[in-house]
Amino acid sequence: MRGHVRGVGLKMAAMGVLAAAGLGVGGCASTTAYDQHWKDTKVVLASDVTATPLAGKWQGEWHSDDSDYYWGLAKAIIIPVDTSKTKEGVTATRYEAHIQLWHFFIFPEEFKVYLSAVPEGDKITFYGERVMNPIDGVARYDGFLEGDKIVIAYNSIKDYGSFTFRRFTPESPSVNGQAWGPSNNTH
């Protein structure tokens, strides 16, 4: 138990150093390329979506199930890429998801993943993967869209957890505000 506590303390100290470094760097840049992409992307209402239901802006939260202290705000810009027919004759749509995860409300992590989606009853299920780097290997993503909510589970060698997004609308709270942050945060 004592080794575990020391390990947690070292992990928290390392996160504090990263957070301080993020504050120093964060003060230098007012917007990122992702922020500009978000601003330039048109809001897509659920009522406007038929053939490409994942398309549009999404906001929400992410949570690592590997650590109680690892969570943050999240945004996604999802763009349809192409469609194809499966062996069963079902139309599958491939999407490009640009995801931004915030760590400690200070610094963002941004990446792109391709998701293959198929309708399944009232839901749309999807999966994808991305190569992170040679050490961390591949991250796998699978999830579903139901109504205006997307849930994505992720799993890699070093981490596993989930993202939960709601469709961004003109009435949505500020994407920079904490009002739409982690609903289960107890820290």
Side-chain angles (χ1 to χ4, degrees):
M1 179 72 173
R2 186 179 183 130
H4 174 71
V5 172
R6 184 179 313 154
V8 170
L10 290 173
K11 188 174 184 179
M12 293 305 294
M15 286 190 249
V17 169
L18 284 172
L23 280 173
V25 172
C28 298
S30 58
T31 61
T32 66
Y34 188 95
D35 295 328
Q36 190 61 46
H37 188 191
W38 178 269
K39 182 180 172 187
D40 293 343
T41 302
K42 179 185 167 205
V43 172
V44 178
L45 302 177
S47 59
D48 297 337
V49 177
T50 52
T52 56
L54 292 176
K57 294 179 177 183
W58 300 82
Q59 65 182 13
E61 62 192 53
W62 68 274
H63 183 268
S64 167
D65 292 333
D66 193 41
S67 169
D68 289 340
Y69 295 97
Y70 224 54
W71 57 265
L73 304 178
K75 295 191 289 188
I77 301 167
I78 303 178
I79 302 163
V81 176
D82 56 29
T83 59
S84 62
K85 293 280 186 188
T86 66
K87 291 179 197 177
E88 296 79 22
V90 177
T91 300
T93 304
R94 192 166 61 113
Y95 293 89
E96 183 178 274
H98 299 254
I99 298 176
Q100 182 184 66
L101 308 176
W102 280 88
H103 299 268
F104 308 103
F105 297 100
I106 298 170
F107 58 94
E109 171 189 0
E110 299 168 0
F111 60 90
K112 179 173 36 175
V113 62
Y114 288 92
L115 302 171
S116 296
V118 293
E120 225 176 75
D122 292 342
K123 292 183 185 178
I124 298 202
T125 60
F126 52 86
Y127 65 91
E129 63 181 38
R130 73 179 172 106
V131 175
M132 297 172 62
N133 60 51
I135 295 171
D136 294 336
V138 174
R140 290 181 172 72
Y141 304 86
D142 60 290
F144 63 89
L145 163 69
E146 188 170 39
D148 71 341
K149 181 180 179 182
I150 291 177
V151 177
I152 304 173
Y154 69 90
N155 190 355
S156 70
I157 292 171
K158 292 192 172 188
D159 193 18
Y160 62 98
S162 61
F163 312 134
T164 304
F165 295 106
R166 295 267 182 203
R167 185 174 296 282
F168 180 79
T169 67
E171 294 79 33
S172 296
S174 166
V175 295
N176 296 321
Q178 297 178 16
W180 55 272
S183 56
N184 58 355
N185 175 27
T186 58
H187 305 291

